[in-house]
Amino acid sequence: MIPSGFDYLCPSTVDEAVRMLADAGEDARVLAGGQSLIPVLRMRLAAPTVLVDLGDLTELTGVRDDGDSLLIGAMTTHYEVQRDHLIHEHARLLARATDTVADPQVRHRGTFGGSLVHADPAGDLLAPVLALDAVMIIAGPGGRREVPASEFFVDYFTTALAPDELLVDIRVPKCTGWGAHYEKLNRVAQAWSIVAVAAAVEVSGGTITQARVGLTNMGPTPIRARAVESALVGQPASRESIVAAASHAAEGTSLGDDYKENLARVLCGRALTTAATA
């Protein structure tokens, strides 16, 4: 199917892009890597009158050291996140999760920020940024503001972004030396997750001192498994302790789906076991 007609705009700066969005109103859409938007346009599930292409905004690419955190440009591709040495050193969970995103072609074109703004609850990067306490840096007509990941994802395919705002950077606190793993179950290769678990743990002297766990596709937004985290801290990094903590994985979810809840518990145990021994 052929998309409906639209005006195509290609800004050279973030401020220019924001002005374009403000002028166009709610009928505008932003094009980043295009891996989510283009199929939607082709199927006419969206019919914007204006398309704002961010492809020339090189200021929104790359990973930068920002003291206690990393700053990841929203237009940084999945491929770049996969291979960045700062990500591997300080935010290994993001690299592990990005390894599972679609296929090499998509990872070369798709962008880190675009995936987050698309906000598909089965997407593989939402739960990791939630688990890592990431903060979204947003540019709009009134300047820039920061929104924690816990407040950014609002509902199915819905975020806290206003129509005239752009996600420009993602700030991720460093978890240097932490073990991390992303455990995903899908029906076929390259498919969306049925359920997935993002896990990062800090182990000192055989004891789990800190734990972060996020759940993918267990609700309309990613979910932080707080009960699992609480059950882990202060416990030995043993399989018995991890399995006991993982039994709390479905707490706080409201799916009423026994199959998915059991999957969450099983995958949580696997992800944490791998992370704790990494």
Side-chain angles (χ1 to χ4, degrees):
M1 187 178 292
I2 299 173
S4 57
F6 51 80
D7 293 330
Y8 175 80
L9 305 177
C10 193
S12 56
T13 67
V14 169
D15 289 343
E16 186 180 4
V18 169
R19 286 195 299 271
M20 289 175 175
L21 290 173
D23 291 342
E26 295 189 4
D27 289 334
R29 294 294 294 269
V30 172
L31 177 65
Q35 302 306 291
S36 300
L37 179 59
I38 289 176
V40 170
L41 295 178
R42 287 180 60 86
M43 292 185 287
R44 296 202 177 190
L45 296 175
T49 58
V50 176
L51 195 65
V52 180
D53 186 349
L54 306 184
D56 285 346
L57 301 187
T58 56
E59 63 189 290
L60 300 187
T61 62
V63 181
R64 308 183 297 282
D65 194 310
D66 192 42
D68 292 337
S69 303
L70 299 180
L71 278 178
I72 306 173
M75 288 291 288
T76 306
T77 65
H78 302 311
Y79 178 83
E80 291 167 331
V81 170
Q82 262 186 304
R83 282 157 177 75
D84 188 89
H85 73 281
L86 290 173
I87 296 288
H88 280 270
E89 183 178 358
H90 302 296
R92 190 181 304 170
L93 180 57
L94 293 182
R96 296 290 182 269
T98 306
D99 285 343
T100 74
V101 172
D103 54 39
Q105 292 93 329
V106 170
R107 292 195 290 270
H108 274 79
R109 291 292 303 171
T111 64
F112 186 67
S115 179
L116 301 179
V117 172
H118 186 54
D120 188 328
D124 291 305
L125 300 180
L126 280 63
V129 299
L130 178 67
L132 293 176
D133 289 325
V135 174
M136 312 300 168
I137 302 175
I138 297 167
R144 300 200 175 193
R145 65 189 181 101
E146 298 189 358
V147 178
S150 58
E151 300 174 14
F152 183 74
F153 305 110
V154 176
D155 206 339
Y156 290 103
F157 301 99
T158 305
T159 71
L161 278 175
D164 56 0
E165 290 183 319
L166 288 176
L167 176 64
V168 292
D169 284 300
I170 300 92
R171 178 180 289 113
V172 180
K174 290 179 179 178
C175 291
T176 312
W178 289 39
H181 190 64
Y182 188 73
E183 187 75 23
K184 172 179 176 178
L185 180 68
N186 48 354
R187 290 187 178 88
V188 295
Q190 303 166 12
W192 295 109
S193 302
I194 299 173
V195 172
V197 177
V201 295
E202 181 184 50
V203 179
S204 178
T207 298
I208 297 173
T209 54
Q210 295 189 74
R212 310 273 181 80
V213 182
L215 304 179
T216 297
N217 211 17
M218 286 293 289
T221 63
I223 294 170
R224 188 78 173 262
R226 300 282 187 185
V228 175
E229 296 173 358
S230 296
L232 282 171
V233 174
Q235 298 299 313
S238 65
R239 176 169 176 77
E240 292 75 18
S241 295
I242 289 171
V243 170
S247 67
H248 299 284
E251 291 182 17
T253 65
S254 56
L255 286 177
D257 185 328
D258 291 343
Y259 174 62
K260 277 195 167 188
E261 290 177 359
N262 187 57
L263 274 180
R265 289 186 283 266
V266 172
L267 296 181
C268 189
R270 293 178 183 174
L272 286 165
T273 298
T274 302
T277 57

